[in-house]
Amino acid sequence: MKQKRAGTAKSDLKSKFNDINELLKMSARSGDFISTKISMPNQPISISYYKTLIDQKLLQQHVIHTLQTRSLDSEYKTLDEIKSWIPIENIEITDKVSRIQSKLLKGFALVRLHENDAAFALINVSSKQGMRTNNDTENEFSVVGPKVGFVEDIDTNIRLLRDQINIPNLIVKEFTIGSISQTKVAVVYIDGVANERYIGIVEQRLSDIDFEVVFDSTQLDQIMSDNSLTPFPLFLSTERRDRVVYALISGQVAIISDGSPYFVTGPSTLFDFFISPEDYYLPWILGSFFRLIRFFGVIFSLFATSMYVAITTYHYEVIPKDLLGPLIFSRQNVPFPPFIEVLFLEITIEFLREAGARLPTKIGQTLGIVGGIVIGQAAVEAALTSNILIIIVASSALASFATPIYKMSNTIRFLRFPIIILSAIWGGLGMFIGIGFLLVHITRLQSLGSPYSVPIAPLRFRDFEDSFIRSSYQFLNKRPSYLRPKTIHRYTPDSVKTSNDFDEE
């Protein structure tokens, strides 16, 4: 009986030892995981940790320096001796794999006395770097939900990710890019979720980059792009942590360069640029309503002024009789054709936008409001433009800001001009020619080899659950099929059960 118990205990110890080694091997695949040995007079001590999660100064002063100093006087025999000597509270000694994994990913250092031991001393040397008041998101603000953004330090950014994705499967692979800058670039993905094809494409394209200085992640976005002759952004750039976390758990790959507060995620689709994290923090009916408002705003911003040019130049017959009188009265003193009138106002709006964006915040806001009112009123009184067009252009400019991602907003601003020109040449026909070219171009685009216009082309009915509308969480338990994730299910939804908390008498 004793031999059987001894054999069982030995088997359990071996099983724990194997599980711990598997955990360390999985963690070692990440470039920010460090496993090192401290040379002691009697025997080496191994220390393992994630460098992006810990305070390096705390580790050096209170752990490594203390161990080396104490080893000169006496020999370490047990982890309890190490625990009593290190001046840090709540040091835990355990051989439970789940506990070791949890603490490792919370910023603890693992100290092991012998290589064959299954027990570790868990020492809290976690860093609070990055969790400060000035790393709020500036360009992707939302009223509801967390407002944690990234900063210009790559280790801090990866720490912020690991705080939310608390599993060893979060893999970080580091590259050095830039013949002059030698910039550190990290590729982040979840092993077992992201498709290996996309991981391989990203790593290959980063390895092939020959560049001098990498200033920002958005430069890598352009260099890695599947098509450099398109105004559409093929990768989503974001400074929000929650957006990157959602992309990673969906099966996408994220790229970040040192010195940049922006992550680049891909493969992306056209719909990704109109989805706001706020959609998931509101009830699904409200989230879907605001998302549809965004899509309508983009369509209005893109085609409102070109439709005005087409109608007032070639198609007066489609104007309702009651509206024709006010329109004629508004334009009767304007000496320019509608095309010149629209072009003048659109370029003026762009001037105001650029000036407001480049000036300090308070001055820029004042310039945008006062400049818009003064120039608009003066243009109408000078008979350079009509009142109706002022309203259309102002509404169009306002609608373009409904896009959550600034890069897509710039694309919409640019696309308005060629469609206006086509409408001025061929009227409604020119407008539809522009729409046709736009649709063909979008359907031909790819992001990391994945179709840009999915789930519309190619058609994926199941992925419509999170495209034009945001469905209930009961139906969002599967990852998007076009990402080809290795595991399709995210969680198992249960039906809501209501219960009466009041006792019936």
Side-chain angles (χ1 to χ4, degrees):
M1 181 68 72
K2 289 183 179 179
Q3 291 179 350
K4 187 175 181 181
R5 288 179 180 174
T8 304
K10 192 176 289 186
S11 175
D12 290 343
L13 183 62
K14 185 178 180 181
S15 176
K16 286 181 179 179
F17 183 74
N18 291 335
D19 290 342
I20 287 171
N21 280 344
E22 284 298 320
L23 171 63
L24 295 178
K25 285 180 182 177
M26 171 67 75
S27 301
R29 295 175 59 186
S30 291
D32 62 330
F33 180 77
I34 304 296
S35 185
T36 185
K37 291 183 179 179
I38 304 175
S39 297
M40 300 292 182
N42 300 312
Q43 83 276 3
I45 294 178
S46 66
I47 298 183
S48 303
Y49 55 89
Y50 283 100
K51 67 178 182 180
T52 54
L53 298 179
I54 68 156
D55 186 333
Q56 292 279 358
K57 187 176 180 180
L58 188 63
L59 178 69
Q60 290 290 337
Q61 289 183 351
H62 296 301
V63 180
I64 296 177
H65 180 70
T66 302
L67 290 175
Q68 289 176 334
T69 304
R70 288 286 183 177
S71 67
L72 299 175
D73 301 328
S74 59
E75 180 182 353
Y76 295 111
K77 294 181 179 180
T78 63
L79 288 173
D80 288 313
E81 293 179 359
I82 293 177
K83 179 180 178 180
S84 63
W85 287 339
I86 294 176
I88 295 178
E89 294 181 351
N90 301 323
I91 297 177
E92 181 181 350
I93 298 174
T94 183
D95 60 354
K96 294 181 180 179
V97 181
S98 59
R99 188 69 176 168
I100 293 170
Q101 173 182 312
S102 173
K103 292 297 183 180
L104 176 65
L105 293 164
K106 290 293 185 182
F108 281 60
L110 310 182
V111 176
R112 181 158 62 173
L113 196 56
H114 302 287
E115 289 188 358
N116 297 325
D117 285 351
F120 285 85
L122 309 180
I123 306 172
N124 186 2
V125 288
S126 61
S127 170
K128 299 301 180 184
Q129 188 180 10
M131 304 303 292
R132 57 184 193 272
T133 56
N134 62 342
N135 69 331
D136 296 342
T137 54
E138 295 183 5
N139 299 320
E140 297 176 68
F141 183 80
S142 66
V143 179
V144 183
K147 298 168 181 63
V148 178
F150 295 110
V151 293
E152 282 75 11
D153 182 67
I154 190 170
D155 289 340
T156 301
N157 292 336
I158 295 173
R159 169 188 166 71
L160 291 171
L161 281 184
R162 287 199 182 278
D163 279 343
Q164 194 120 54
I165 305 178
N166 211 240
I167 55 174
N169 299 59
L170 182 67
I171 306 299
V172 180
K173 291 189 177 180
E174 295 181 354
F175 295 81
T176 301
I177 299 176
S179 58
I180 295 176
S181 63
Q182 295 290 303
T183 305
K184 185 166 67 173
V185 176
V187 176
V188 187
Y189 62 92
I190 298 179
D191 185 57
V193 176
N195 191 290
E196 293 175 352
R197 175 178 173 235
Y198 300 132
I199 300 169
I201 292 173
V202 170
E203 292 178 356
Q204 181 63 45
R205 291 184 183 179
L206 286 176
S207 301
D208 292 342
I209 291 176
D210 184 11
F211 207 62
E212 289 183 327
V213 178
V214 178
F215 292 100
D216 192 77
S217 300
T218 50
Q219 289 180 296
L220 301 176
D221 171 354
Q222 299 175 59
I223 298 170
M224 293 170 53
S225 179
D226 296 59
N227 186 346
S228 60
L229 299 176
T230 177
F232 287 92
L234 300 182
F235 294 94
L236 191 144
S237 299
T238 179
E239 61 177 341
R240 292 184 64 109
R241 180 176 67 171
D242 51 357
R243 190 185 281 275
V244 176
V245 169
Y246 189 79
L248 289 172
I249 64 176
S250 297
Q252 292 180 316
V253 183
I255 304 106
I256 181 72
S257 68
D258 198 11
S260 171
Y262 284 91
F263 266 85
V264 175
T265 63
S268 300
T269 68
L270 183 66
F271 289 93
D272 290 340
F273 296 90
F274 302 104
I275 294 174
S276 170
E278 200 170 12
D279 296 346
Y280 300 97
Y281 305 139
L282 296 171
W284 72 270
I285 296 177
L286 295 179
S288 300
F289 172 74
F290 292 129
R291 189 177 293 184
L292 289 172
I293 288 289
R294 267 180 239 121
F295 282 110
F296 173 76
V298 168
I299 294 171
F300 180 84
S301 176
L302 199 55
F303 301 114
T305 48
S306 57
M307 190 177 294
Y308 174 88
V309 171
I311 290 175
T312 54
T313 306
Y314 297 98
H315 310 292
Y316 269 106
E317 67 276 5
V318 303
I319 302 174
K321 191 175 180 180
D322 294 336
L323 184 60
L324 190 59
L327 182 62
I328 293 173
F329 177 78
S330 177
R331 289 202 76 260
Q332 64 182 354
N333 295 321
V334 178
F336 306 113
F339 171 67
I340 301 298
E341 182 187 5
V342 167
L343 212 59
F344 166 72
L345 270 185
E346 286 285 2
I347 292 175
T348 303
I349 289 289
E350 294 304 320
F351 284 155
L352 285 172
R353 277 181 174 177
E354 284 300 305
R358 303 292 174 259
L359 289 171
T361 306
K362 294 181 179 179
I363 301 175
Q365 291 175 349
T366 305
L367 176 71
I369 298 170
V370 176
I373 294 173
V374 171
I375 293 175
Q377 185 67 28
V380 171
E381 290 183 359
L384 297 177
T385 184
S386 63
N387 289 320
I388 293 177
L389 183 60
I390 288 281
I391 296 171
I392 293 174
V393 171
S395 302
S396 179
L398 194 62
S400 68
F401 287 114
T403 310
I405 303 298
Y406 183 69
K407 290 170 71 174
M408 182 57 74
S409 177
N410 289 341
T411 300
I412 294 165
R413 288 163 57 185
F414 166 76
L415 289 175
R416 283 210 298 263
F417 289 96
I419 296 177
I420 288 171
I421 294 171
L422 289 172
S423 299
I425 298 173
W426 292 303
L429 177 62
M431 185 174 166
F432 282 106
I433 289 173
I435 294 172
F437 272 109
L438 201 58
L439 293 176
V440 171
H441 178 69
I442 290 173
T443 54
R444 290 174 61 87
L445 291 177
Q446 291 184 333
S447 176
L448 294 181
S450 176
Y452 190 65
S453 55
V454 73
I456 295 179
L459 198 60
R460 298 284 187 272
F461 284 108
R462 192 178 65 78
D463 293 329
F464 274 99
E465 294 171 350
D466 193 16
S467 54
F468 290 104
I469 63 168
R470 190 224 109 184
S471 301
S472 169
Y473 281 118
Q474 189 174 355
F475 303 102
L476 294 180
N477 62 313
K478 293 182 181 179
R479 296 183 172 90
S481 61
Y482 60 83
L483 292 174
R484 301 175 185 175
K486 296 176 74 174
T487 52
I488 193 72
H489 289 275
R490 295 169 51 201
Y491 55 88
T492 303
D494 293 326
S495 57
V496 179
K497 297 179 181 178
T498 59
S499 60
N500 191 357
D501 293 334
F502 297 95
D503 295 328
E504 296 181 2
E505 296 181 0

